[in-house]
Amino acid sequence: FPVTIEGLQIGLKRCTLKKIKLAICTPSAGYVRVEFTETMVNLSKALSKDKDVLDHKFFYICGSVIPYNRQWTVEQAILWGATHVLFVDDDMSFPPQAVKELLKNKQYPIIAANCVKRVFPKEFMSRWFDGSEVVTDKDSSGVVEVMGTGNALCLIDIGVFGVVPKPWFAFPYIPETGGFNTEDIFFQEKARRC
């Protein structure tokens, strides 16, 4: 179920390209599940047959500082000449069709799947503008505007990184709650302000 952060008017000229050069970026702590590996193999096969994908390449880095890992993979994608970054977290598994759905909506500068957090009880990553959870199920479809979502399976036009100033990802402290924000929400809040 794709969600997007609307209001971003950046990188749209690049989004109109018919063929895309897709950088698949995975920030990792170093251990991946077998389901993730199978997902990446199946995704690579599907993208190799996709006439709208000019090329695709995997970028990954292992380390304990996820914001650094995300930033490094994006920098490598820029050097490679990517038109889009596809973040895929190393604990994700999904059919290739999920990425094809995101690619069909490449006109949005940022578009993502509404993934489930690794918490119990089950909770979705996406949030409405009032902060409440965006709940999706097998019958959900279409694109909706949300306040923010996770980067676990997220397609971003490379032009976004030319407009949003660094650091793109960080774990900022939230004094009101005594907690920390996630690096993906930090990035999306910065992108929304640009």
Side-chain angles (χ1 to χ4, degrees):
F1 177 62
V3 292
T4 185
I5 297 180
E6 298 229 26
L8 298 176
Q9 301 300 316
I10 52 182
L12 293 181
K13 287 184 181 172
R14 186 177 293 270
C15 284
T16 60
L17 294 173
K18 289 221 180 244
K19 302 253 185 197
I20 66 169
K21 194 171 177 184
L22 185 64
I24 302 167
C25 298
T26 299
S28 178
Y31 299 97
V32 298
R33 297 169 52 201
V34 103
E35 297 89 349
F36 171 80
T37 304
E38 180 182 33
T39 294
M40 293 297 97
V41 168
N42 291 336
L43 178 59
S44 186
K45 285 185 205 173
L47 290 173
S48 295
K49 297 175 186 174
D50 190 323
K51 63 183 184 307
D52 294 326
V53 177
L54 178 65
D55 198 1
H56 68 282
K57 183 174 181 178
F58 293 94
F59 295 92
Y60 63 92
I61 184 172
C62 298
S64 61
V65 185
I66 297 301
Y68 172 83
N69 295 355
R70 284 201 193 280
Q71 185 129 334
W72 184 89
T73 59
V74 170
E75 289 168 347
Q76 298 307 302
I78 291 168
L79 290 173
W80 180 63
T83 61
H84 292 78
V85 164
L86 176 69
F87 279 120
V88 181
D89 286 0
D90 67 2
D91 59 348
M92 297 299 298
S93 60
F94 50 86
Q97 188 57 36
V99 172
K100 289 189 176 262
E101 289 298 318
L102 294 177
L103 291 172
K104 279 197 247 179
N105 290 286
K106 68 182 179 191
Q107 73 272 19
Y108 294 104
I110 301 173
I111 188 158
N114 189 13
C115 299
V116 177
K117 291 182 183 180
R118 288 176 291 172
V119 296
F120 185 81
K122 180 174 83 170
E123 185 179 335
F124 287 94
M125 296 288 295
S126 299
R127 295 286 177 254
W128 296 114
F129 286 91
D130 66 3
S132 64
E133 177 185 19
V134 177
V135 178
T136 56
D137 60 28
K138 64 180 178 58
D139 297 322
S140 300
S141 65
V143 176
V144 296
E145 181 180 1
V146 299
M147 177 181 66
T149 191
N151 284 343
L153 184 58
C154 183
L155 182 69
I156 304 171
D157 183 285
I158 203 74
V160 170
F161 299 102
V163 176
V164 177
K166 288 182 179 178
W168 295 316
F169 307 99
F171 290 135
Y173 179 70
I174 305 169
E176 301 80 30
T177 64
F180 293 86
N181 206 346
T182 61
E183 86 287 351
D184 36 22
I185 298 300
F186 172 82
F187 167 71
Q188 292 169 15
E189 286 175 351
K190 282 185 82 167
R192 186 178 290 285
R193 287 193 301 269
C194 288

